[in-house]
Amino acid sequence: MISDGAAMPLGGQDGEPPEAQPAAAALERIADARATRDVLTGLPNRAVMLDRIGQALADGSRSGGCTAVLSVGLDRLQQINAEHGRPAGDALARRVASQLAGALRLMDTVGRFDGGEFAVLTPVLESPIHAVDLSARLITELARRPRQGDDGEGVAASIGVAVSVGGRGTPESLLEEAGAAMRRARSLGGARAEVFDDSLWLKVQQRWIARQMLQKALDERRVAVHYQPIVDLADGRVTGYEGLARIGESDGSILPPGAFLPAAEDSGLVVSLGGQVLEQACRDARAWQSPDDTLAAPSVSVNLSARQFRSGDLPAAVRAQLKRSGLDPRQLHLELTETAITGPQPALIEQLRQLRDLGVQLGLDDFGSGLVSLTQLLRLPLTYVKIDRAIAQGDGSDPSSTQLLTGAIGLAAELGLRSIAEGVETDAQLERLRELGCDEAQGYLFARPLPLHELPETLRDHNKRSSWRL
Ligand code: C2E
Ligand code: CA
Ligand code: CA
């Protein structure tokens, strides 16, 4: 019933070359394989893993036996994608797939999920402790050089273990538990295994509650967008506003993204969330006007998640919202993070080109915080970078942060990109940014993100108090 998870190429699996098969049958086989296998590694995908875990739990509830699910995450995959390009990351994932498949018993299954995470099912275990032994063995196996003479290096992996005794839980809950334990292993420095326990149980429950809450808010269209002004440092003019997602609760309280984005990201709800934010932002910005005819109307910046690029129809969705709202495409700025640009490069760049062809401007968020390489930066059709708050907040007291800030602003200028600093809270920070030639800034010094109806009043008040013309 449960077969091994060894990599299986698509097509031609019965020894007959694919071209010898009738075309329709070959296509059908490929479609079937795609529905059950991860295309990159040929391993079972999430749907198959859920099915097999379900079978193991059913057996467990009859026999009272023990089943384990392991979530295996590669600690540096994102960094490798960023530094050496996606093909290097893909090659690594394939290698890990075959190492994992080779290290398991025949009755075990290894699968790979979207986002580069692997899962291992051991349907029958003598005792939970054997799952911990197995994790330690897999970590050691992956950390070794793959084969003698092979020039690859070992890989650091974090493993989370969830155990079910007597069929406890559901396939989804076991995967969730294993994932939570894996994230804890990673947060403790990686290259180690952690077992799901009561302290993590609370976290899983919280995430589950957050997901339900978000789903409800999306259904009831309670997602609001707050706007934070972005100021031109040359003349103090507000050039635009960044739209930031909020959820309005029935008691009048407002939830910030930290309360729902993690649950949105790992459930895929972030795609619907992004759609609702985009729709509102375009509609709101349509009414914004410039103070006089010589200036462009204020822009609206919308944050995009990596998942929205993976959903495949982002340019079409943006085009539809622009059409529906009547917003001038030049007014719409889309911000992507470094995780979004570590996805499959040709597909990503094609989507970015299509967005640029619509007339939309693209910016890289959290610039300077991490991994993006110069080569990557050059390949992306960007118009601006948002300098990460941690760097922008330097006030000159720490020489290394000043170097980073100078470097980030200088690099942006050299690449012909506008630089926008975020998180500006003090006059000293602002002065420093102006001295270093940063183009624009946003932060609590000017205004917090505000509901649409509070924008004009706050800006007027601020104007009276501040030497900045807002
Ligand atoms: P971000 O894009 O880097 O947004 C800037 C964050 O910094 C916002 O937090 C903003 O409220 C906060 N901020 C602005 N000025 C200051 C300041 O002077 N000091 C400090 N300490 N913080 C300041 P917020 O609204 O909590 O958003 C957090 C993150 O959530 C955003 O970071 C963005 O990555 C994400 N996010 C927000 N809305 C959306 C959305 O609609 N879609 C997606 N995918 N992500 C979103
Ligand atoms: Ca942003
Ligand atoms: Ca940012």
Side-chain angles (χ1 to χ4, degrees), residues 242-244 301-303 335 365-366 386 422 442:
E242 174 165 8
L244 294 153
S301 316
V302 172
N303 293 285
E335 300 191 351
D365 211 340
D366 304 338
K386 271 266 168 91
E422 64 183 5
Q442 63 188 97

Side-chain angles (χ1 to χ4, degrees), residues 226-263:
H226 284 196
Y227 295 99
Q228 184 175 43
I230 302 166
V231 176
D232 189 318
L233 293 188
D235 59 11
R237 184 173 54 90
V238 172
T239 58
Y241 301 88
E242 174 165 8
L244 294 153
R246 300 285 183 266
I247 288 181
E249 290 280 68
S250 50
D251 64 1
S253 60
I254 301 281
L255 294 178
F260 55 83
L261 261 191

Side-chain angles (χ1 to χ4, degrees), residues 189-384:
R192 60 186 285 157
E194 283 287 310
V195 181
F196 182 81
D197 60 16
D198 287 353
S199 64
L200 282 172
W201 187 85
L202 195 65
K203 275 201 175 155
V204 167
Q205 292 305 306
Q206 282 166 341
R207 200 165 271 210
W208 191 81
I209 291 167
R211 191 179 302 167
Q212 301 290 101
M213 184 275 298
L214 175 61
Q215 181 70 64
K216 198 154 174 280
L218 287 167
D219 292 345
E220 295 169 0
R221 300 192 73 87
R222 272 187 291 109
V223 175
V225 185
H226 284 196
Y227 295 99
Q228 184 175 43
I230 302 166
V231 176
D232 189 318
L233 293 188
D235 59 11
R237 184 173 54 90
V238 172
T239 58
Y241 301 88
E242 174 165 8
L244 294 153
R246 300 285 183 266
I247 288 181
E249 290 280 68
S250 50
D251 64 1
S253 60
I254 301 281
L255 294 178
F260 55 83
L261 261 191
E265 288 283 358
D266 62 29
S267 63
L269 286 177
V270 76
V271 178
S272 322
L273 173 78
Q276 289 198 12
V277 170
L278 181 69
E279 182 183 343
Q280 264 182 62
C282 289
R283 202 176 47 222
D284 290 345
R286 175 76 177 90
W288 297 343
Q289 286 174 356
S290 67
D292 68 64
D293 292 345
T294 61
L295 297 169
S299 61
V300 68
S301 316
V302 172
N303 293 285
L304 295 178
S305 140
R307 286 255 195 176
Q308 287 172 275
F309 285 99
R310 275 191 252 133
S311 73
D313 57 358
L314 183 63
V318 172
R319 190 184 304 115
Q321 289 303 342
L322 285 168
K323 192 160 175 231
R324 191 196 278 194
S325 62
L327 183 71
D328 180 342
R330 287 169 302 182
Q331 264 178 279
L332 180 62
H333 295 188
L334 297 176
E335 300 191 351
L336 24 145
T337 56
E338 296 190 347
T339 28
I341 64 175
T342 50
Q345 290 293 301
L348 169 77
I349 291 175
E350 178 51 30
Q351 291 189 62
L352 294 179
R353 287 224 179 90
Q354 290 178 21
L355 289 168
R356 279 305 297 272
D357 288 347
L358 292 174
V360 165
Q361 307 215 14
L362 300 173
L364 182 63
D365 211 340
D366 304 338
F367 182 57
S369 63
L371 306 166
V372 69
S373 70
L374 189 56
T375 347
Q376 262 181 323
L377 203 57
L378 282 167
R379 262 194 249 127
L380 303 172
L382 301 173
T383 48
Y384 69 95

Side-chain angles (χ1 to χ4, degrees), residues 77-97:
L77 185 60
Q78 208 173 310
Q79 201 175 335
I80 287 165
N81 276 332
E83 281 173 9
H84 303 287
R86 180 76 182 193
D90 287 353
L92 182 73
R94 273 195 290 264
R95 197 188 91 195
V96 167

Side-chain angles (χ1 to χ4, degrees), residues 17-144:
E19 57 275 18
Q21 300 168 355
L27 282 177
E28 207 170 298
R29 284 177 58 120
I30 290 174
D32 279 353
R34 289 227 159 111
T36 55
R37 304 255 151 198
D38 165 48
V39 177
L40 179 68
T41 59
L43 290 180
N45 64 13
R46 188 182 181 88
V48 173
M49 290 304 285
L50 283 170
D51 187 53
R52 296 205 181 153
I53 297 169
Q55 289 168 11
L57 293 181
D59 291 346
S61 71
R62 276 192 296 272
S63 66
C66 189
T67 296
V69 173
L70 276 52
S71 165
V72 183
L74 306 184
D75 294 339
R76 291 182 60 248
L77 185 60
Q78 208 173 310
Q79 201 175 335
I80 287 165
N81 276 332
E83 281 173 9
H84 303 287
R86 180 76 182 193
D90 287 353
L92 182 73
R94 273 195 290 264
R95 197 188 91 195
V96 167
S98 78
Q99 277 182 295
L100 288 174
L104 295 171
R105 301 172 303 178
L106 263 184
M107 58 161 46
D108 301 333
T109 309
V110 53
R112 182 172 178 270
F113 301 163
D114 195 24
E117 192 182 315
F118 294 86
V120 172
L121 164 69
T122 63
V124 185
L125 279 172
E126 263 170 50
S127 118
I129 196 70
H130 288 150
V132 179
D133 293 344
L134 173 64
S135 306
R137 197 153 57 73
L138 293 179
I139 289 171
T140 314
E141 169 67 23
L142 294 177
R144 278 194 307 133

